[in-house]
Amino acid sequence: MDLSTIQPVLDWMARHPELAGLIVFLVAAGESLALVGIVVPGVVFMLGIGALVGLDAINLWQALFWAAVGAIVVHRPPKRQRAVTGCANLP
């Protein structure tokens, strides 16, 4: 993968660190999906985000928080369904 394809996004994140969490969230959520994770180079984006964290362009804890939220939101378990349909008072 050519770095020139993600360099504009990393430059934008360095200029706007307050909105970098949005990109981190989207990359983590996209990487968590099976088909999107194959097409979108999330590992390369996360490596670039890690470089920005190392340069203090992005806050480490903000990046970790939004990456975790992005991965968790995609894998949210479905609502629990009742096994017995005749017992409405069961928890």
Side-chain angles (χ1 to χ4, degrees):
M1 157 153 250
D2 189 16
L3 187 61
S4 65
T5 57
I6 67 164
Q7 190 62 46
V9 176
L10 296 176
D11 291 338
W12 182 85
M13 288 176 65
R15 285 191 308 268
H16 305 285
E18 65 278 356
L19 296 175
L22 174 67
I23 299 297
V24 174
F25 173 82
L26 292 174
V27 170
E31 188 68 18
S32 294
L33 295 171
L35 294 178
V36 177
I38 293 171
V39 177
V40 177
V43 172
V44 178
F45 274 107
M46 286 299 183
L47 181 67
I49 291 166
L52 290 176
V53 167
L55 294 172
D56 284 334
I58 299 173
N59 185 350
L60 169 66
W61 298 110
Q62 179 186 8
L64 287 175
F65 173 78
W66 286 111
V69 170
I72 290 169
V73 166
V74 172
H75 291 291
R76 186 180 56 136
K79 291 183 180 180
R80 194 172 91 181
Q81 296 179 355
R82 297 179 196 264
V84 180
T85 57
C87 299
N89 293 333
L90 291 177

